[in-house]
Amino acid sequence: MNTGSGGPGEVAMTADDARSGEARTEAEQGLGSRAPEFVKARRVLHLSWQVGIFIVGLAVVIAGIIMLPLPGPGWVVIFGGMAIWATEFVWAQLVLRWTKRKVTEAAQRALDPKVRKRNIILTSIGLAVIGAILGFYVWKFGFEMPWKIKDQ
C-alpha cells in the first residue's frame, strides 16, 4: 500500500494531523527574532540590533510607567513598548500573548448580561450613596469647601 511517503525518513499523516501540525507551526513561527536576514546572518550585528531594540522598548515602557500617575495613556504606551520588545525577544512575545488572552477573556466576561446587570446595579447604588453624602454635606455646611469650614 502506498502511504504517499517518497523517502525513507518521511511519515504519513492523516488530514487531522496535518491540520494540527500546520496550526502548531503557525503558532511557533510567530516566536523569535523578526530582524532582517542580513542582520541575523552576522552575530555582532544581530547582537547590536537586539541591544537597540531593548533600549528603544525600555524607553517606551519607562515613558508609559511615568504616564501612569500623570495624564496620558500609560498602559497603552507600556504595551507598545512590550510590542517593540516582542519584535525581537521570545519572552516578550509570550507575555504579550498571555496579556492579549487575559484581556480578551476579561472583555468576554464583562459583556456577559448577568455581569453587566450587576455592574449597573452596583454603580447605581454607589452613585446614590455618593449623592446622599453630598446632599447631607450641602445641607449641613452649604457650598463651603471643607478646609474653610469653621467649627460649628
Side-chain angles (χ1 to χ4, degrees), residues 31-85:
L31 297 177
S33 175
R34 292 191 179 100
E37 290 302 320
F38 74 91
V39 172
K40 290 181 190 177
R42 293 164 183 83
R43 176 118 174 100
V44 173
L45 188 57
H46 191 226
L47 185 61
S48 301
W49 179 273
Q50 286 181 328
V51 168
I53 293 291
F54 183 79
I55 290 171
V56 170
L58 183 65
V60 172
V61 168
I62 289 173
I65 291 171
I66 290 171
M67 285 184 204
L68 286 175
L70 300 175
W75 284 111
V76 173
V77 174
I78 289 172
F79 291 129
M82 288 297 296
I84 291 171
W85 280 338

